Amino acid sequence: MSELQPSDFERADYRTVLRRLTTLDQRAAALREEAERWHAERATAASESVQEAEAEVRAARHAVREAQRDLETVDARAAGLWSEFVHRVGPAAERFGRTLPPASIPRQRTERDAQDYLDEVETRVKYTPPARPLTFGTTVLFGILGFAGGVLGVIGNTALRQTGEAAGGDWHQAAPVVALLVLLACPVLAVVTAKLVADRRGVGLDTAAVATVLTTGLVTAGLLFTAVQFAQSA
């Protein structure tokens, strides 16, 4: 049935007009029902969107907290590795700064996370290169250090004895004991010096090398001390 137009009232009969007016109320009810259904659907969709957005916000906040904890963990571990690196390297590490340098983005963009890089750094920091074997020249140098320790021990021993004899009193009684300690301490100091030289050259100071330095120093000190005593008694 066509829509009722104002001009239709002039030529339509009473029944037709009444029937058409009745159908208008039914159509209005159908439109209201459709509008209410549409509104309910839109409200439900909006409510679901809000709930999804709130869930995403909660997930994002949780991710931020996890990222902050990971950042603190990485910073703490990086600071510990830097402290260990500075302790092992010494003053040479100060050219990079006394404190932990700022983080930088690696040149190669990979899927590796920060912990992978920290594990690699830890491996490099804790790596100790194997000691180089002793060469003939280093062994000769250790022998020279032992000889020098023995000579210095005898020189110190003789000087203390002469000082005690010239001073007299209690120092005259204590000087021989102190002189003997100096005579024995200088070869030991030669071993300490040899250890410093070995560390600087990156070679290992094994038992044989220590025995070489100490034996050379003690033998030299004993021979020179005997020669000095013989010369003084002659």
Side-chain angles (χ1 to χ4, degrees), residues 161-181:
R161 285 179 177 275
Q162 292 177 354
T163 303
E165 292 176 357
D170 294 337
W171 178 242
H172 178 70
Q173 300 296 327
V177 178
V178 177
L180 179 61
L181 293 177

Side-chain angles (χ1 to χ4, degrees), residues 29 35 51 106 110 150 198:
Q51 292 177 359
T110 62

Side-chain angles (χ1 to χ4, degrees), residues 92-114:
E94 294 182 358
R95 59 183 177 143
F96 300 103
R98 295 181 178 273
T99 58
L100 180 66
S104 59
I105 300 176
R107 294 181 179 179
Q108 65 278 13
R109 299 296 185 89
T110 62
E111 298 300 328
R112 301 171 61 187
D113 57 10

Side-chain angles (χ1 to χ4, degrees), residues 115-130:
Q115 294 297 336
D116 294 334
Y117 288 105
L118 290 176
D119 292 339
E120 182 179 350
V121 171
E122 183 177 8
T123 301
R124 292 185 178 182
V125 169
K126 292 184 177 181
Y127 172 75
T128 302

